[in-house]
């Protein structure tokens, strides 16, 4: 897998959309990596991704192509980051969590529970091949709400500071780290954290995420021979949905949330643009400090090491525009 992998996923039409718009959709499949988007003027535009997941694709397909390689890397002490991005209501949280974290139908399980299962399965296989390595898995979970970092395992920590050290790089000072022994314990912890996340109702989504949610899995290895320590970090990010205020009907507090969300997403885009457009060997300012999101992800973004994007889209012409792809 290349250092940066970008995939697109299209959410199926729901019953309300079918009643209002029928089966009118704006994309046409070419193959597993390319599709055609028809704009409002009936012009065709072809887009290419590392993989395109059409409405009929399974949750397992997304996991096996996008997440499984970085799960394996984390157990091998290699860092990786996966971000889900898209408009409000496009299926980001569903792709990541599924209908629910605990007790979900196997076919509908999202990336998070599959990542948890995958981590422990990979550790089990690694332990069988090398019994001199002891593994520990730790989990942290924060949300970035109105540009404040909140610990979702301890709501009293509602303004966590982002620090940087030469040895550890970017870290969240005082964040709760839960040691997890098995998948069931991990899912219970994730479920409790998700319940603390900020959500709100807009015209586009009954339960719209009003924050960026960051899940951090740290897999530490200790050799029983020489006590040598190694660690791999896997970060999953459920980005709050990009929004156009006139479509969401945002007012008051929800409007301020939308402005903050859009500002931080713009900051992420600016950082990625500065990194990708920077000529080789030429020094350039990268605006990591423009948002808490880009600051937390600085270590991942600066190297583009195993950085994965799952861009989620609507199928309806009224909601999917050229500039969003």
């Amino acid at each position: 897998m290349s250092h940066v992998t970008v995939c697109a996923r299209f959410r199926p039409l729901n019953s309300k959309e079918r009643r209002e718009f029928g089966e009118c959709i704006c994309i046409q499949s070419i193959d597993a990596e390319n599709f055609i988007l028809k704009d409002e003027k009936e012009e065709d535009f072809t887009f290419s991704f590392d993989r395109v997941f059409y409405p009929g694709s399974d949750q397992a397909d997304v996991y096996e192509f996008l997440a499984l390689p970085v799960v394996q890397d984390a157990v091998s002490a290699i860092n990786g980051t996966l971000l889900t991005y898209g408009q409000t209501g496009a299926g980001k949280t569903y792709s990541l969590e599924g209908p629910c974290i605990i007790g979900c139908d196997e076919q509908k399980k999202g990336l998070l529970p599959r990542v948890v299962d995958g981590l422990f399965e990979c550790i089990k296989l690694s332990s069988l091949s090398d019994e001199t390595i002891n593994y520990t898995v730790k989990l942290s979970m924060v949300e970035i709400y109105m540009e404040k970092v909140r610990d979702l395992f301890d709501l009293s920590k509602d303004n966590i500071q982002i620090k940087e050290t030469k040895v550890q790089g970017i870290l969240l000072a005082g964040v709760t780290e839960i040691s997890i022994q098995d998948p069931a314990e991990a899912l219970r912890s994730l479920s409790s954290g998700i319940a603390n996340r900020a959500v709100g109702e807009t015209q586009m989504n009954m339960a719209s995420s009003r924050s960026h949610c960051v899940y951090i899995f740290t897999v530490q290895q200790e050799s029983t021979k020489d006590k040598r320590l190694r660690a791999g970090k896997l970060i999953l990010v459920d980005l709050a949905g990009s929004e156009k205020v006139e479509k969401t009907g945002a007012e008051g507090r929800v409007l301020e949330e939308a402005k903050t969300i859009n500002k931080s997403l713009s900051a992420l885009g600016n950082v990625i643009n500065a990194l990708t457009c920077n000529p080789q060997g030429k020094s350039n300012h990268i605006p990591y400090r423009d948002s808490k999101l880009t600051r937390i992800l600085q270590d991942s973004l600066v190297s583009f090491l195993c950085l994965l994007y799952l861009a989620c889209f609507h199928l309806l012409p009224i909601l999917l525009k050229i500039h969003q792809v």
Side-chain angles (χ1 to χ4, degrees):
M1 179 177 286
S2 65
H3 290 317
V4 180
T5 301
V6 184
C7 299
R9 189 178 196 188
F10 291 95
R11 175 178 66 75
L13 297 179
N14 58 38
S15 56
K16 180 176 182 291
E17 290 166 341
R18 285 196 175 91
R19 286 195 303 271
E20 293 184 12
F21 303 100
E23 297 294 332
C24 176
I25 62 175
C26 57
I27 67 147
Q28 178 184 336
S29 167
I30 298 177
D31 54 32
E33 298 175 355
N34 305 277
F35 64 88
I36 295 171
L37 173 63
K38 190 180 294 291
D39 73 358
E40 294 167 315
K41 297 179 181 178
E42 296 295 310
E43 294 184 52
D44 290 345
F45 296 85
T46 301
F47 291 92
S48 299
F49 287 79
D50 292 296
R51 180 73 177 269
V52 180
F53 297 101
Y54 296 103
S57 61
D58 292 330
Q59 296 275 61
D61 297 335
V62 182
Y63 170 74
E64 289 170 9
F65 181 85
L66 194 60
L68 179 57
V70 289
V71 167
Q72 295 167 334
D73 283 347
V75 176
S76 300
I78 299 172
N79 297 340
T81 301
L82 189 157
L83 302 97
T84 59
Y85 170 81
Q87 196 177 13
T88 294
K92 301 178 301 301
T93 301
Y94 177 84
S95 293
L96 204 55
E97 299 176 7
C100 57
I101 289 292
I102 297 177
C104 177
D105 176 83
E106 180 67 27
Q107 187 176 3
K108 296 179 180 179
K109 279 170 59 174
L111 289 173
L112 262 175
R114 293 179 191 275
V115 162
V116 168
D117 289 341
L119 282 173
F120 282 96
E121 183 62 30
C122 288
I123 287 172
K124 180 180 178 181
L125 293 174
S126 296
S127 298
L128 290 174
S129 62
D130 187 351
E131 296 181 354
T132 66
I133 302 294
N134 291 327
Y135 291 89
T136 57
V137 181
K138 295 182 179 180
L139 171 64
S140 298
M141 187 174 170
V142 300
E143 71 172 353
I144 305 169
Y145 176 73
M146 299 291 284
E147 279 303 286
K148 284 189 175 183
V149 182
R150 307 200 304 190
D151 190 330
L152 291 176
F153 291 146
D154 184 351
L155 294 180
S156 67
K157 301 175 182 178
D158 59 359
N159 192 17
I160 291 177
Q161 300 303 300
I162 304 168
K163 306 290 186 180
E164 183 175 11
T165 68
K166 290 184 178 180
V167 176
Q168 295 176 284
I170 301 296
L171 57 88
L172 299 171
V175 72
T176 303
E177 268 195 320
I178 297 177
S179 294
I180 49 179
Q181 306 300 319
D182 54 54
E185 183 180 2
L187 294 180
R188 286 194 298 270
S189 298
L190 287 168
S191 181
S192 67
I194 289 168
N196 290 329
R197 190 176 177 188
V199 297
E201 182 178 347
T202 73
Q203 290 179 6
M204 293 182 67
N205 194 349
M206 288 291 290
S208 174
S209 300
R210 312 311 297 165
S211 65
H212 308 302
C213 192
V214 184
Y215 309 84
I216 305 171
F217 294 89
T218 303
V219 183
Q220 185 171 295
Q221 306 176 20
E222 182 179 6
S223 170
T224 57
K225 292 180 179 178
D226 55 15
K227 301 301 179 181
R228 182 186 176 193
L229 295 176
R230 301 170 67 211
K233 187 175 291 185
L234 174 55
I235 301 175
L236 290 87
V237 185
D238 183 9
L239 295 171
S242 59
E243 300 180 346
K244 284 192 174 296
V245 173
E246 64 269 19
K247 288 185 178 178
T248 60
E251 310 180 317
R253 181 73 173 184
V254 177
L255 176 59
E256 293 306 311
E257 291 171 344
K259 289 178 179 178
T260 305
I261 289 167
N262 289 339
K263 183 178 179 180
S264 65
L265 292 174
S266 295
L268 176 61
N270 291 339
V271 167
I272 293 172
N273 186 60
L275 288 167
T276 55
C277 296
N278 186 25
Q280 189 172 8
K282 182 178 179 180
S283 178
N284 190 31
H285 171 67
I286 310 298
Y288 294 113
R289 294 177 182 270
D290 283 2
S291 78
K292 297 292 178 64
L293 174 65
T294 50
R295 185 67 170 141
I296 289 175
L297 296 179
Q298 180 174 336
D299 287 344
S300 302
L301 295 170
V302 73
S303 63
F304 278 157
L305 180 61
C306 290
L307 186 61
L308 316 173
Y309 293 91
L310 178 62
C312 299
F313 300 111
H314 294 277
L315 285 170
L316 294 172
I318 192 173
L319 296 177
L320 179 57
K321 307 299 180 185
I322 292 291
H323 72 273
Q324 294 171 331
V325 184

